[in-house]
Amino acid sequence: MEEDHCTVERRDASLTYSQFIDQYAFSRPVIIQGITDNSEFQALCTRNKLLAEFGDRLVRLSTANTYSYHKVDMPFQEYVEHLLEPQDLASLGSDTLYFFGDNNFTEWGSLFQKYMPPPFRIPGTSGAYSFGIAGSGSGVPFHWHGPGYSEVIFGRKRWFLYPPEKTPEFHPNKTTLAWLLDTYPFLPPEERPVECTIHPGEVLYFPRGWWHATLNLDTSVFISTFLG
């Protein structure tokens, strides 16, 4: 599960809004470094702080397959203590429970208020947060939706992306880790995805309709801002 050779352009905080709109918003992904300072939010997202504040709260887990139809509710502490483990290679996506999204904004609102989202918006959209915590080797297989940002608070997250017109070769019930081991090594160069690994302090932007799959390289805390 080593880091990839990154093929997504990285830009620093000197990127302007007009450059973002002209060069990336509707055409290609970009990683923006240092555009926000979420050190205060990060300090609230340690294991001990989250368990103290939210341990007894119910969280809704989704299966880690393309359509994530199945949902399970359990106390956050139980998820952290029993399910926050490295991905089992033998498990299908439908057997793997994953905490991402389905957040209760009333209960988690005090935490989200401390998050500083990326400042660039697509005209006519507003942002909605999805917060998650997952073990190493976990992730979501290929799917697509509207535009958005992804930020890692702790850990590293590897991304695989394809433009809308290029549907990737994948099984919707296989995990990203299984795809990486079984399919990725045999892809000819022209079928390889655009890919990168993001670290704390970086934000990945992806346009509408881009296929993407994710793989957490460590136990990771992460948040996405979906623009809808």
Side-chain angles (χ1 to χ4, degrees):
M1 291 200 306
E2 74 277 1
E3 290 194 25
D4 59 291
H5 170 66
C6 184
T7 53
V8 177
E9 187 177 1
R10 276 183 162 86
R11 298 291 300 265
D12 63 24
S14 66
L15 180 71
T16 66
Y17 178 65
S18 61
Q19 288 172 332
F20 169 76
I21 292 293
D22 292 344
Q23 298 176 32
Y24 306 105
F26 305 103
S27 57
R28 58 194 169 117
V30 63
I31 296 169
I32 313 173
Q33 299 174 309
I35 197 167
T36 56
D37 178 5
N38 274 305
S39 51
E40 182 181 4
F41 183 73
Q42 185 187 55
L44 297 174
C45 289
T46 63
R47 178 188 175 107
N48 288 344
K49 285 279 181 65
L50 288 175
L51 284 176
E53 184 71 22
F54 303 105
D56 60 346
R57 310 282 177 89
L58 285 179
V59 292
R60 176 155 291 181
L61 310 179
S62 303
T63 50
N65 50 357
T66 291
Y67 304 109
S68 300
Y69 285 139
H70 186 55
K71 310 283 185 181
V72 174
D73 292 340
M74 71 169 54
F76 178 62
Q77 182 164 345
E78 187 176 332
Y79 172 72
V80 169
E81 292 179 350
H82 299 292
L83 295 182
L84 203 60
E85 298 176 344
Q87 176 69 49
D88 181 354
L89 273 173
S91 294
L92 293 173
S94 56
D95 300 325
T96 303
L97 291 169
Y98 192 71
F99 175 44
F100 177 57
D102 286 310
N103 306 125
N104 183 319
F105 285 90
T106 302
E107 293 188 347
W108 292 77
S110 60
L111 179 66
F112 295 151
Q113 285 173 6
K114 300 296 185 182
Y115 178 65
M116 183 183 297
F120 301 151
R121 288 285 184 265
I122 308 297
T125 69
S126 58
Y129 298 148
S130 279
F131 178 74
I133 302 168
S136 63
S138 63
V140 178
F142 283 104
H143 61 288
W144 64 270
H145 43 69
Y149 294 97
S150 174
E151 181 168 358
V152 173
I153 306 304
F154 288 108
R156 298 167 297 156
K157 185 184 287 285
R158 188 169 173 183
W159 280 72
F160 308 93
L161 305 107
Y162 286 94
E165 68 276 8
K166 196 166 188 175
T167 303
E169 178 187 336
F170 74 102
H171 188 292
N173 201 27
K174 292 281 186 70
T175 63
T176 302
L177 183 58
W179 175 87
L180 178 68
L181 297 174
D182 299 340
T183 303
Y184 177 89
F186 305 103
L187 294 173
E190 66 274 12
E191 298 297 326
R192 285 287 178 103
V194 175
E195 54 186 289
C196 63
T197 297
I198 58 171
H199 306 79
E202 299 181 321
V203 176
L204 171 73
Y205 168 78
F206 52 88
R208 174 180 173 76
W210 275 66
W211 290 92
H212 52 280
T214 60
L215 181 71
N216 296 299
L217 299 183
D218 314 292
T219 297
S220 299
V221 179
F222 44 90
I223 187 166
S224 290
T225 306
F226 296 118
L227 304 178

